Structure formats: C-alpha cells, structure tokens
C-alpha cells in the first residue's frame, strides 16, 4: 500500500520565522495536494502540484514537488499566528487518495 | 453558495443502532468520496463513486453501505454501530479533468459519537 509520511508531526514556531514541512511518498505519482485543517473544521485545499518541479505560492506558503525524489515540501515564510492549523499532504494514486498524518503547526506570537 | 454539504453535523447514538449521513455537492463534479478521520486526525478513504458508480471500496466493514442516487448525492448508511465507529466522517467531491485535476472539496464533516 502507498505510504505518505509527513514530518515533523508537530511544529511550534515563533512568528516571523521560516520553516519547511516535508512530505515523502512511497510510489510514483504525478499529483500531490496540500490541505489545511483548522481545529474542528473541514479541510481546505491549498495547492495542487501536477508535475515534477512544480512550485506554487500563495501568501507566506510555497509548495514544491520533486517526483523523482517522491518528495513535496511546504515552506512557510515569516510565519504569522493565522497560519496555525494542521497541514496535510495527499497523493492521488489512480483516484485513490492517501493522506499524510498531518503536521500540526502552532505559531506563537 | 457552491459547496459540499453534509447532514447532520453531529450524531450521537447508542451502540447497535443504524444511522445515515447525507452528502450533496453542487459543484458539478463527477466523483464523490467518503473519508473517516479518527481521533488522531488520520484521514482514510472509505469509498469513492464516479457518476453514481462505485469505484473504490476500501477494507471497510460491510456494516457501512454507501448509496449514490445521482452524481450530486452520496449517502452513507451504517448498521449496528460500534464504539470504534466514533469519528468524523467527511464527504468530498472532485473533478478528475482540468482545471481541477482531482482537487478535492470537502464537506463540513459529521461528528459521530457512539455511546
């Protein structure tokens, strides 16, 4: 079965700092997705990465995909408290989605 | 509003009961899903339907039976509820083709508590 591993699982950081969340997956896939989940809420789509070398940016978040290394990263620049949430990566394997365990991000003011 | 909606939002019931969760999407998507999120926030796919046809059926107890009366609706019926069924159940929809490329849109979730 395809495995998706995220690290770290928990991340506590100060406002203004930069950090990267890593997402490794165990089989070939050209599609990778990042989602955000606030406590008690649903999942919100952040990025869709469709090919090797894809990079997308929205505000302080930037996601990239290296399909050869089976690795995606979510980079946070100058974190602010509003980014506190749980972030999931997911891989599409023939319309079957496998999610990572999530990275719970806490940005301290 | 264009969205994925689920009812009910909360469901508290006794072991052994039967319950249903309804899901509707008005995004015009062909594919709908059910996911289970456990207490550790782990998300696992349960079922997927494409245009009313079952395409993914994970190793889920057969007490769980999905039904898709049309491509905009996907319901989940659960028989003989057990304590371990307590979780948040999310419905989602997606469109495999461009421009969405299977980006999933999630419903608000149904928090099921089995006592």
């Amino acid at each position: 079965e395809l495995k998706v591993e995220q690290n770290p699982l928990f991340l506590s950081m100060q406002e203004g700092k930069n950090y990267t969340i890593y997402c490794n997956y165990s089989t070939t896939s050209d599609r990778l997705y990042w989602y955000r989940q606030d406590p008690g809420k649903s999942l919100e789509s952040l990025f869709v990465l469709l090919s090797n070398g894809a990079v997308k940016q929205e505000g302080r978040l930037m996601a990239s995909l290296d399909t050869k290394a089976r690795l995606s990263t979510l980079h946070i620049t100058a974190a602010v408290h509003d980014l506190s949430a749980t972030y999931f990566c997911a891989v599409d394997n023939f319309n079957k989605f496998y999610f990572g365990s999530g990275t719970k991000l806490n940005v301290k003011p | 509003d264009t969205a994925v909606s689920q009812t009910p939002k909360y469901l508290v019931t006794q072991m052994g009961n039967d319950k249903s969760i309804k899901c509707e999407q008005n995004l015009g998507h062909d594919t709908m899903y059910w996911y289970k999120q456990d207490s550790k926030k782990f998300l696992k796919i349960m079922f997927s339907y494409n245009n009313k046809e079952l395409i993914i059926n994970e190793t889920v107890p057969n007490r769980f039976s999905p039904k898709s009366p049309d491509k905009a609706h996907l319901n989940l019926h659960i028989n003989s509820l057990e304590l371990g069924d307590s979780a948040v159940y999310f419905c989602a929809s997606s469109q495999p083709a461009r421009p969405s490329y299977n980006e999933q849109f999630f419903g608000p979730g149904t928090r099921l508590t089995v006592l």
Side-chain angles (χ1 to χ4, degrees), chain A residues 29-86:
Chain A
S29 176
D30 286 339
R31 295 185 182 185
L32 190 127
Y33 307 80
W34 283 96
Y35 293 89
R36 169 182 171 146
Q37 186 177 34
D38 291 305
K41 302 288 187 186
S42 185
L43 282 86
E44 174 193 352
S45 177
L46 293 174
F47 299 109
V48 178
L49 301 168
L50 297 172
S51 59
N52 188 40
V55 177
K56 290 206 173 169
Q57 181 159 8
E58 180 76 33
R60 298 172 190 275
L61 300 177
M62 184 172 74
S64 66
L65 178 62
D66 180 344
T67 56
K68 291 176 185 172
R70 299 179 189 168
L71 171 69
S72 180
T73 60
L74 181 65
H75 186 73
I76 303 150
T77 301
V80 292
H81 181 65
D82 283 353
L83 290 179
S84 296
T86 299

Side-chain angles (χ1 to χ4, degrees), chain B residues 86-102:
Chain B
S86 296
V88 180
Y89 292 84
F90 285 102
C91 176
S93 72
S94 72
Q95 190 68 9
R98 60 180 66 188
S100 307
Y101 295 103
N102 248 356

Side-chain angles (χ1 to χ4, degrees), chain A residues 33 37 42 45 92 95-96, chain B residues 37 58 101-104 107:
Chain A
Y33 307 80
Q37 186 177 34
S42 185
S45 177
D92 177 1
N95 289 321
K96 190 169 161 183
Chain B
Q37 186 173 45
E58 279 301 277
Y101 295 103
N102 248 356
E103 178 186 21
Q104 299 200 307

Side-chain angles (χ1 to χ4, degrees), chain A residues 7 9-10 22-23 27 31 36 42-43 49 54-55 59 67 70-71 84 87 89 96 101 105-106 108:
Chain A
N7 68 82
L9 298 182
F10 298 94
Y22 297 89
C23 174
T27 195
R31 295 185 182 185
R36 169 182 171 146
S42 185
L43 282 86
L49 301 168
V55 177
T67 56
R70 299 179 189 168
L71 171 69
S84 296
Y87 293 85
C89 63
K96 190 169 161 183
S101 303
L105 173 66
N106 179 29
K108 295 183 280 192

Side-chain angles (χ1 to χ4, degrees), chain B residues 9-21 36-37 39 63-64 76-89 110-115:
Chain B
K9 193 165 169 61
Y10 299 97
L11 196 44
V12 181
T13 188
Q14 300 285 335
M15 260 193 336
N17 284 351
D18 303 339
K19 289 293 176 187
S20 291
I21 307 172
K36 179 180 180 180
Q37 186 173 45
S39 58
R63 297 182 294 103
F64 290 78
L76 184 65
H77 187 77
I78 316 168
N79 289 329
S80 305
L81 277 154
E82 299 177 359
L83 293 176
D85 298 331
S86 296
V88 180
Y89 292 84
T110 296
R111 182 174 293 276
L112 171 65
T113 304
V114 182
L115 303 173

